[in-house]
Amino acid sequence: MNQVDRFKTLPDNARIQAIGNLFKYNDRKTWDIGVNIENSTRKALKFSQLPYLSRQVVLNQTVVAMPLGFPIEFVLPDRLSWQTATVRDCGLVKFQSRDEQSQNCFKFESGGKTIYLPQLELARALFFTNNYLANAALINSALDLEFDVDHNPNNDDKEFPLDLVINALPTTQCPKILFDNEGFRHQIAWLLLNSDVKNSFGSIYRYFSQERVTAPNVERWTFRFDPPQLEGVKVAARGWKSADESTWFINRIELLDGLFFPDVSDIGYLHPNFIGSRPDSGKGKGGTYPQLPTQREIDENSDGSEDNESALIFCDATQRIYNRVPRTRKFYARHKTDSGAKEDKDQPSVLPPEVSTDDPNTRGDVPRAAVDGLDDQTDNAHLYLNKFDSFFKMLGVLEKEHGVKLSEPLIRKLPKYGYSKKHLMSNGDSPRCLVIVYLEYQKRSFFLLEVDTSDGKNSLATKIVPVHSTKFKREFWQEVPKIALELIRNKLSWPQEHLDKLIGKGNHKSVPHQKSKKNGRLSEVEIEKWGKRLQREIDI
């Protein structure tokens, strides 16, 4: 694990040894959470920084460091079988502070093992993937006050008909930049549309409002909540185990696999600060935001300023996989008046290195940042096959007129790499995909590789790879993830050097796309021309 951004007042390689209660001093607006950190006298961080905080996680890494503990995988049972317990009941946690030992856990049996799962850690993995949702959990009915779900949207887009629209209301504190992450769009819909999940999220505030204890100068609360039904969800985690491995304490959840998503096909998202280009320009974007230095310092003490749009910072992400997900896209209530218009005319192009994870308020003096701690691994690439409509029509011509045999296409979303946005279409909504088709004709076979450039962002030819043996065919399928990564690292160009090593120099060909008056949309005549050019290259 490798956290890029730094906590301003923490030392290098600061390992979290324990996590305690939430508390707030009467002269402060925001809540803190008790933490014990190795080699540091600091005893608390902000609750809004919870996406970073799991036991044994290392902050301010100068070398890559995995959390201490042992890996474990288990399946969550029916929540009716879950019991409540404390860290002390487990007996595996050596750090003996009173706050740590009194933290609430869920206790259940799975695969012959007794699992102690801290309630705060489960809530972090389910909900607190960013600072916005951490802050919202401590506000009464925050989701209802900030979002409206329109189940009968007025939409006539034949390519992307919307089942519903999620509107972020004008009063929302949710940073618009989070919606650039398809995984966040899935998560906020999962929260709003799954009543069991929404009730679980709401239970955090219910307990918080009922159970926090007020002293003369401070309020305190021991975190707890009601979990949603997670029966059958697979968990990958790290933690401590007893000598006979029958009892486990979970330090950090790394993957949740099998989360239930409602059966919805197409969801649109509208935010009051979304601004796009004029329709059909092919350049729609969610607006600009100030850029940050390469390395950022998270100021643990400062509130967020109201004077800037949130810029994105990253923490070690928890992976999640749903049983299904919809197609999602942003759309825009406002558009730029001209190509040179800027969304934030008065904002600086570069922010100072210090940022705050708290919601903006009048006392804030440090630019606000949005934490992205979510890695959605749900396989939904098949939802974007329609983006290759012209490509498949061209292959259909070859199949019909020349007897070519085509395999079922493999479609893969291009991976995120660093801060590059090349893995997204230029509108920032859809993932950019790579499709691979296996083609056979007269005892010869080929792989055809096509990248979706229908947004006109790049001009990338169709790649032809001849297949000379069954072994090569099998090995090539295994190389697809590497090719997808190299495409992004090579700034959305075919990685010639990598392909030369894999296939042999001169053994792969490229067929430029057929030119069209409209990006990504070919007429029947243009499709015929494209097919003939590809036909000549494979010498049918």
Side-chain angles (χ1 to χ4, degrees):
M1 303 177 76
N2 187 15
Q3 178 221 323
V4 176
D5 304 309
R6 296 181 57 82
F7 283 73
K8 185 176 180 179
T9 62
L10 296 184
D12 289 344
N13 302 310
R15 186 178 296 277
I16 298 174
Q17 296 176 309
I19 296 179
N21 290 328
L22 280 72
F23 65 93
K24 184 180 78 69
Y25 291 106
N26 293 342
D27 61 346
R28 298 295 303 273
K29 283 193 172 185
T30 56
W31 283 78
D32 293 339
I33 186 166
V35 292
N36 288 89
I37 298 173
E38 191 175 26
N39 300 323
S40 174
T41 58
R42 191 171 183 92
K43 298 299 182 183
L45 292 170
K46 291 201 170 189
F47 187 70
S48 62
Q49 291 153 359
L50 197 66
Y52 291 90
L53 309 183
S54 297
R55 292 168 178 82
Q56 302 306 321
V57 162
V58 178
L59 305 176
N60 291 1
Q61 294 182 22
T62 59
V63 294
V64 177
M66 290 291 291
L68 292 179
F70 303 94
I72 181 176
E73 295 183 0
F74 56 92
V75 177
L76 293 173
D78 188 321
R79 67 180 169 191
L80 292 177
S81 68
W82 296 22
Q83 303 174 41
T84 56
T86 64
V87 172
R88 180 179 294 106
D89 297 329
C90 175
L92 293 175
V93 177
K94 296 179 180 179
F95 202 89
Q96 293 298 313
S97 76
R98 183 175 63 182
D99 278 359
E100 165 76 334
Q101 292 292 319
S102 64
Q103 291 306 301
N104 290 312
C105 294
F106 295 118
K107 176 186 175 183
F108 48 80
E109 303 294 320
S110 179
K113 296 178 174 62
T114 300
I115 308 293
Y116 286 82
L117 174 56
Q119 293 196 20
L120 184 62
E121 175 58 21
L122 179 60
R124 184 200 64 80
L126 289 172
F127 305 131
F128 305 145
T129 61
N130 57 69
N131 49 325
Y132 164 71
L133 286 173
N135 290 329
L138 303 185
I139 299 172
N140 187 22
S141 302
L143 296 180
D144 290 328
L145 294 172
E146 299 206 357
F147 294 95
D148 173 70
V149 180
D150 182 357
H151 291 274
N152 297 290
N154 182 17
N155 177 260
D156 58 0
D157 189 332
K158 294 180 180 180
E159 182 181 346
F160 203 133
L162 295 175
D163 291 335
L164 54 89
V165 172
I166 292 176
N167 295 287
L169 300 176
T171 54
T172 187
Q173 295 289 342
C174 185
K176 67 183 178 189
I177 193 172
L178 288 175
F179 289 89
D180 287 349
N181 184 340
E182 184 185 37
F184 176 74
R185 299 200 298 268
H186 293 159
Q187 185 187 20
I188 198 68
W190 178 72
L191 273 166
L192 293 171
L193 302 178
N194 187 324
S195 59
D196 183 40
V197 172
K198 188 177 180 183
N199 288 336
S200 174
F201 185 81
S203 73
I204 298 171
Y205 179 79
R206 288 196 297 273
Y207 287 122
F208 171 72
S209 62
Q210 296 167 8
E211 298 177 351
R212 62 185 193 246
V213 177
T214 301
N217 297 314
V218 66
E219 292 182 276
R220 299 185 184 277
W221 179 54
T222 301
F223 183 92
R224 74 169 173 134
F225 79 117
D226 296 329
Q229 178 60 270
L230 298 169
E231 183 178 9
V233 171
K234 299 175 184 177
V235 180
R238 298 185 70 87
W240 306 127
K241 60 182 179 179
S242 61
D244 61 1
E245 300 189 9
S246 64
T247 303
W248 285 76
F249 177 84
I250 303 304
N251 287 325
R252 177 177 171 84
I253 293 173
E254 297 178 338
L255 167 68
L256 296 170
D257 182 357
L259 297 172
F260 177 80
F261 199 100
D263 188 8
V264 180
S265 297
D266 298 291
I267 301 178
Y269 295 80
L270 183 62
H271 190 287
N273 292 334
F274 284 167
I275 298 180
S277 297
R278 289 294 176 188
D280 299 323
S281 68
K283 297 180 180 179
K285 295 182 180 179
T288 59
Y289 59 94
Q291 297 300 307
L292 288 150
T294 302
Q295 188 175 72
R296 286 64 53 103
E297 285 191 331
I298 300 167
D299 191 330
E300 299 94 309
N301 298 315
S302 296
D303 295 338
S305 169
E306 294 180 321
D307 296 333
N308 71 282
E309 290 292 339
S310 296
L312 206 59
I313 59 176
F314 298 90
C315 69
D316 294 322
T318 295
Q319 295 182 335
R320 61 204 290 149
I321 300 174
Y322 298 93
N323 64 323
R324 69 171 75 86
V325 286
R327 287 194 305 173
T328 64
R329 72 176 176 98
K330 299 182 298 185
F331 65 100
Y332 311 101
R334 295 184 292 157
H335 289 85
K336 295 179 181 179
T337 56
D338 59 73
S339 59
K342 291 184 178 180
E343 182 173 353
D344 302 304
K345 294 180 180 179
D346 298 328
Q347 302 304 326
S349 58
V350 177
L351 292 175
E354 293 84 10
V355 294
S356 170
T357 56
D358 275 336
D359 288 341
N361 63 66
T362 55
R363 297 172 57 179
D365 57 358
V366 173
R368 181 199 191 194
V371 179
D372 183 351
L374 178 61
D375 182 10
D376 189 340
Q377 292 287 316
T378 311
D379 183 8
N380 67 332
H382 63 281
L383 298 176
Y384 299 96
L385 276 173
N386 65 310
K387 295 294 185 181
F388 295 93
D389 183 60
S390 295
F391 178 67
F392 288 125
K393 285 180 178 178
M394 181 270 292
L395 294 181
V397 170
L398 294 180
E399 188 175 33
K400 181 179 179 181
E401 297 185 4
H402 299 280
V404 170
K405 293 182 180 180
L406 303 171
S407 69
E408 287 294 318
L410 169 70
I411 184 168
R412 175 179 290 273
K413 293 187 289 186
L414 295 184
K416 179 174 175 57
Y417 178 73
Y419 289 96
S420 171
K421 295 290 186 180
K422 296 287 188 179
H423 67 294
L424 297 174
M425 302 297 284
S426 61
N427 59 13
D429 299 340
S430 304
R432 193 180 300 278
C433 295
L434 164 71
V435 68
I436 301 175
V437 176
Y438 181 68
L439 178 152
E440 292 181 324
Y441 182 74
Q442 292 184 350
K443 298 184 179 180
R444 285 175 294 174
S445 53
F446 306 85
F447 284 116
L448 301 182
L449 285 69
E450 177 79 1
V451 174
D452 181 7
T453 54
S454 59
D455 58 353
K457 190 75 172 178
N458 283 59
S459 179
L460 197 61
T462 304
K463 180 62 66 175
I464 303 173
V465 177
V467 178
H468 300 297
S469 67
T470 302
K471 179 182 178 183
F472 176 83
K473 178 182 177 182
R474 182 174 62 252
E475 292 176 347
F476 186 83
W477 284 124
Q478 296 172 351
E479 288 289 329
V480 168
K482 294 181 182 178
I483 294 172
L485 176 60
E486 290 298 322
L487 267 165
I488 297 298
R489 294 179 62 179
N490 209 43
K491 298 181 179 179
L492 208 59
S493 298
W494 290 117
Q496 299 295 340
E497 185 175 344
H498 180 78
L499 291 172
D500 286 345
K501 291 180 180 178
L502 177 64
I503 303 164
K505 192 171 184 179
N507 289 338
H508 51 92
K509 300 179 182 180
S510 296
V511 178
H513 288 174
Q514 183 65 36
K515 292 183 179 180
S516 173
K517 294 180 180 179
K518 293 184 178 180
N519 287 330
R521 299 178 183 178
L522 300 179
S523 66
E524 291 185 11
V525 173
E526 291 167 336
I527 288 172
E528 288 276 359
K529 291 180 180 179
W530 189 10
K532 288 179 179 178
R533 289 191 294 107
L534 191 142
Q535 171 190 341
R536 288 195 295 268
E537 289 296 335
I538 61 179
D539 194 27
I540 293 178

